[in-house]
Amino acid sequence: MALFLGIDGGGTKCRAAIADASGRILGQAQTGSANIASNADAARDNILAATTQALTEAIGAQGVAAELPRLTAVMGLAGANIPSSSARLQAALPFAARIISDAVIAVKGALLGGDGVVASLGTGSVFAVQRAGVVRQIGGWGFILGDEGSGAWLGRALLSRALRSVDGLVPQTPLLTAVIAELGGPDRVVTFARDSRPADFAGFALRIAASDDVAAREIMTQAEADVGAAIALLQGDRPVPLVFLGGLGASYAPRFAGRYQIAEPLGSALNGALWLARQGGA
Amino acid sequence: MALFLGIDGGGTKCRAAIADASGRILGQAQTGSANIASNADAARDNILAATTQALTEAIGAQGVAAELPRLTAVMGLAGANIPSSSARLQAALPFAARIISDAVIAVKGALLGGDGVVASLGTGSVFAVQRAGVVRQIGGWGFILGDEGSGAWLGRALLSRALRSVDGLVPQTPLLTAVIAELGGPDRVVTFARDSRPADFAGFALRIAASDDVAAREIMTQAEADVGAAIALLQGDRPVPLVFLGGLGASYAPRFAGRYQIAEPLGSALNGALWLARQGGA
């Protein structure tokens, strides 16, 4: 019986699933971080542990050693865009694996083989279109230079605007005043920004998206414009369903419901990796 | 004879000057970094060394120990906006000193007692107005949340736009294509940004300011709008001379020559610290 392995490896956790040729999931497991760019050894260990656990659940511990090298595997990993890291990982695994970005398996999970645009808006942001099975991705360049409309982008925009309101360059609003007070004053806003990671900035995002404050609405208008430009580019003049993913997906979807056909994702990123493995894998 | 000490302490060097009551400079010295927020001990050591050297040049080595505690000192220091750091430094020095921000002594040096607006545009940016001797400062919140129009801001805008051109969201231009190629491709643009300090981003600034490339011109248009908003706020409806400082000052000045009376700075930041010391000091 041919077995298929899907891996969804991100910065905080690594998920593995084993399925048969029909797609039925026989075993699943979750371990720690699998970012091959930031810590390749930990990523390999967590991938192997998750795989072994899922395979044990699927076929029992006795068969694992014999079955591992026969797996057909697709892994979507954070940091997979660095070819040297991917090659080193492939060489260190006891099975052949196709390594692609975590963004691509998210797209495949959301659409499987169908046409569509995927707007993924969490701590970061990335956009993709699939037509006839071919995926084109834009954005996703990270917090410093890109990730427009993402949670981190929204949080930074809020803090930046709060400081501009202190200077008198934009009006003070209840939300801006509250955020400055919560952080302990303007100088503390600066030190917060200096010491924070994208996820910390993103901590303000859902509050911004849900707020009626005029500053929040202006930030969301700019974010919607940036997100809309990416979606419009990928939609082109041949409209396809639009799927929102990520923690902010539900905040953005209503803003685009009048312009596009919004669809729910068909499955998770892990489903996407498994689906790809069953399509041919390594 | 009363002696006055001015200190201009920045992230890379500390300058000291000793003057008499008439403003005549009797001794000068330069040592290393004096950022009291990032390294208070090194700042104190470099301030003391520069002071001792300048005082030795002014009055000879014999008199230094007796004269040090009698100095009237004003120090403009990077990081001086953190009160606990300033208080600790004052307690560790053998003379009474008024500690203010490096931005304020730059304004005082540029205008001495006169009215005017100072736009300081280097790696960072900060803006100030002086009316009847009272200084009001805006901006200067740093690279992550502010510093609009600064060198670092311009460089980041260029790299961000370059990646957006790769995605097809903005047109590719010769400058954007050249910058991506120089850094080794889009993924290397991302790693450059991740590993760079504001001064590294600012390395692109003079090239942007001098370029006829359409991308550079659009970035400069946005920068000029942000810088112009800060200047307009400080000018209000009572026009005063406008002084540009910093490595990008000469790039911005012509853009505002039609709107304001552009003036040259009267002196350096070190002159500003000395001038303040002579006005009353600690």
Side-chain angles (χ1 to χ4, degrees):
Chain A
M1 180 176 68
L3 292 179
F4 301 88
L5 168 66
I7 295 275
D8 173 18
T12 57
K13 52 184 179 281
C14 175
R15 291 194 185 90
I18 298 283
D20 62 19
S22 75
R24 192 164 58 103
I25 291 177
L26 307 174
Q28 292 195 71
Q30 180 175 314
T31 55
S33 165
N35 186 319
I36 57 175
S38 59
N39 191 339
D41 289 346
R44 183 203 56 209
D45 293 347
N46 284 323
I47 289 166
L48 254 183
T51 300
T52 304
Q53 288 171 39
L55 196 53
T56 301
E57 182 183 327
I59 61 168
Q62 268 89 356
V64 166
E67 196 63 34
L68 262 181
R70 299 174 50 207
L71 289 172
T72 299
V74 168
M75 307 199 278
L77 302 181
N81 57 331
I82 299 169
S84 59
S85 306
S86 290
R88 208 175 315 126
L89 174 62
Q90 274 169 322
L93 290 174
F95 50 84
R98 181 174 160 215
I99 299 175
I100 56 184
S101 82
D102 50 351
V104 171
I105 62 166
V107 172
K108 289 291 181 181
L111 302 173
L112 300 182
D115 288 356
V117 165
V118 175
S120 182
L121 293 144
T123 298
S125 70
V126 62
F127 304 89
V129 63
Q130 177 167 261
R131 293 184 195 272
V134 178
V135 174
R136 174 188 170 200
Q137 180 186 315
I138 64 173
W141 298 112
F143 177 58
I144 302 171
L145 298 178
D147 283 11
E148 288 84 354
S150 69
W153 187 98
L154 291 173
R156 181 179 54 195
L158 179 70
L159 299 186
S160 177
R161 192 180 177 94
L163 293 175
R164 290 173 68 78
S165 79
V166 171
D167 285 339
L169 287 161
V170 296
Q172 296 195 332
T173 71
L175 176 62
L176 298 179
T177 305
V179 165
I180 292 171
E182 287 165 27
L183 291 177
D187 288 337
R188 292 301 180 103
V189 175
V190 173
T191 54
F192 174 89
R194 184 195 64 196
D195 300 337
S196 286
R197 297 160 52 94
D200 302 317
F201 288 95
F204 295 98
L206 289 173
R207 186 169 165 194
I208 298 166
S211 174
D212 277 333
D213 187 275
V214 62
R217 283 192 279 121
E218 289 202 12
I219 290 167
M220 287 304 297
T221 298
Q222 178 63 52
E224 183 180 330
D226 285 347
V227 169
I231 292 170
L233 180 74
L234 297 177
Q235 290 277 355
D237 50 11
R238 291 178 297 156
V240 288
L242 171 60
V243 177
F244 283 94
L245 299 179
L248 287 168
S251 301
Y252 279 103
R255 297 172 174 266
F256 291 93
R259 279 177 269 175
Y260 302 105
Q261 180 205 333
I262 310 291
E264 291 298 309
L266 297 175
S268 68
L270 184 57
N271 293 138
L274 262 184
W275 186 86
L276 279 170
R278 288 170 46 233
Q279 301 303 303
Chain B
M1 179 177 69
L3 292 179
F4 300 89
L5 167 66
I7 295 275
D8 172 19
T12 57
K13 51 183 180 283
C14 176
R15 291 192 184 90
I18 298 281
D20 62 19
S22 75
R24 192 165 57 103
I25 291 177
L26 306 174
Q28 293 196 69
Q30 180 175 314
T31 56
S33 165
N35 186 319
I36 57 174
S38 61
N39 191 337
D41 288 345
R44 181 203 58 208
D45 292 348
N46 284 324
I47 288 166
L48 255 183
T51 300
T52 305
Q53 288 171 38
L55 195 53
T56 302
E57 183 183 326
I59 62 169
Q62 268 88 356
V64 167
E67 196 63 35
L68 261 180
R70 299 176 49 209
L71 288 173
T72 299
V74 168
M75 308 199 277
L77 302 181
N81 56 332
I82 300 170
S84 59
S85 305
S86 290
R88 208 175 315 126
L89 175 63
Q90 274 169 322
L93 289 174
F95 49 83
R98 180 173 159 216
I99 298 176
I100 55 183
S101 81
D102 50 350
V104 170
I105 62 166
V107 170
K108 290 292 180 180
L111 302 172
L112 299 181
D115 288 356
V117 165
V118 175
S120 182
L121 292 144
T123 298
S125 69
V126 62
F127 305 88
V129 64
Q130 178 166 259
R131 292 184 195 271
V134 178
V135 174
R136 172 186 171 202
Q137 180 186 313
I138 64 173
W141 299 112
F143 178 56
I144 301 171
L145 298 178
D147 283 12
E148 288 85 354
S150 69
W153 186 98
L154 291 173
R156 182 178 55 194
L158 179 71
L159 299 186
S160 177
R161 193 180 177 95
L163 293 175
R164 290 174 68 79
S165 79
V166 171
D167 284 340
L169 288 162
V170 296
Q172 297 195 330
T173 71
L175 176 61
L176 299 179
T177 306
V179 165
I180 292 170
E182 286 165 26
L183 291 177
D187 288 337
R188 292 301 180 102
V189 174
V190 173
T191 53
F192 174 88
R194 185 194 63 196
D195 300 337
S196 286
R197 296 159 54 93
D200 302 316
F201 288 95
F204 295 97
L206 289 173
R207 187 169 163 193
I208 298 166
S211 174
D212 278 333
D213 186 276
V214 62
R217 281 191 279 123
E218 289 201 11
I219 291 167
M220 288 304 298
T221 297
Q222 178 63 52
E224 183 180 331
D226 285 347
V227 169
I231 292 170
L233 180 73
L234 297 177
Q235 290 278 354
D237 51 9
R238 291 177 297 157
V240 288
L242 170 61
V243 177
F244 284 94
L245 299 180
L248 287 167
S251 300
Y252 280 103
R255 296 172 175 266
F256 291 92
R259 280 177 267 177
Y260 301 105
Q261 178 205 335
I262 310 291
E264 290 298 309
L266 297 175
S268 68
L270 185 57
N271 293 138
L274 262 183
W275 186 86
L276 280 171
R278 288 171 46 233
Q279 300 304 304

